């Protein structure tokens, strides 16, 4: 797989990640800064490192499964490994400007 193909797949992954929401927050997980890494490998397996705004997020299982399902539905993706990480700890500075405006920060 070429770097150009990987980049196109990553762009499509970002698009679908922007459709995943924490049910308690009206901003998608990508704009919230909860996605730390997207790595598209040559064999079309995608590794994603993500976090939550709080370690004890009650919607964690729902969000993780939504991410996995949507990423695996992207054309060119064979499978997705979603890794939940808490380093570095999430904070409001990780949000996009759009997310800050939406939430009134």
């Amino acid at each position: 797989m070429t770097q150009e193909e990987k980049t196109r797949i990553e762009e499509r992954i970002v698009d679908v990640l922007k459709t995943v929401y924490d049910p308690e927050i009206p901003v998608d997980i990508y704009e919230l800064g909860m996605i730390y890494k997207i790595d598209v490998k040559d064999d079309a397996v995608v590794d994603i490192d993500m976090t939550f705004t709080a370690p004890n997020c009650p919607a964690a299982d729902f969000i993780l499964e939504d991410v996995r399902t949507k990423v695996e539905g992207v054309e060119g993706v064979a499978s997705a490994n979603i890794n939940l990480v808490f380093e570095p700890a999430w904070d409001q500075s990780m949000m996009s400007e759009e997310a800050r405006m939406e939430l009134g920060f």
Side-chain angles (χ1 to χ4, degrees), residues 6 8 14 21 31 33 42 45 49 57 59 68-69 71 75 80 94 96 104:
K6 289 180 182 181
R8 280 197 304 269
V14 168
Y21 290 80
E31 295 298 335
D42 288 335
V45 171
D49 287 355
C57 176
R68 182 183 333 282
T69 301
V71 170
E75 182 182 342
M94 296 173 170
S96 69

Side-chain angles (χ1 to χ4, degrees), residues 80-93:
N81 300 312
I82 314 302
N83 306 305
L84 186 57
V85 298
F86 292 103
E87 291 292 325
W90 182 89
D91 66 51
Q92 293 178 3
S93 71

Side-chain angles (χ1 to χ4, degrees), residues 7-102:
T7 300
R8 280 197 304 269
I9 291 170
E10 185 174 332
E11 288 169 354
R12 290 193 297 262
I13 290 169
V14 168
D15 288 343
V16 300
L17 290 174
K18 288 182 177 184
T19 69
V20 177
Y21 290 80
D22 179 322
E24 298 177 348
I25 305 173
V27 177
D28 68 80
I29 64 169
Y30 189 82
E31 295 298 335
L32 281 171
M34 293 168 52
I35 303 299
Y36 288 172
K37 178 184 87 172
I38 301 170
D39 183 20
V40 180
K41 300 189 183 297
D42 288 335
D43 60 359
V45 171
V46 176
D47 287 332
I48 294 179
D49 287 355
M50 67 172 290
T51 195
F52 291 115
T53 56
N56 58 351
C57 176
D61 291 339
F62 168 79
I63 295 169
L64 288 171
E65 190 54 33
D66 199 22
V67 169
R68 182 183 333 282
T69 301
K70 288 181 176 179
V71 170
E72 288 182 344
V74 170
E75 182 182 342
V77 173
S79 65
N81 300 312
I82 314 302
N83 306 305
L84 186 57
V85 298
F86 292 103
E87 291 292 325
W90 182 89
D91 66 51
Q92 293 178 3
S93 71
M94 296 173 170
M95 291 190 290
S96 69
E97 194 62 37
E98 178 183 313
R100 287 185 196 152
M101 289 178 64
E102 178 71 30

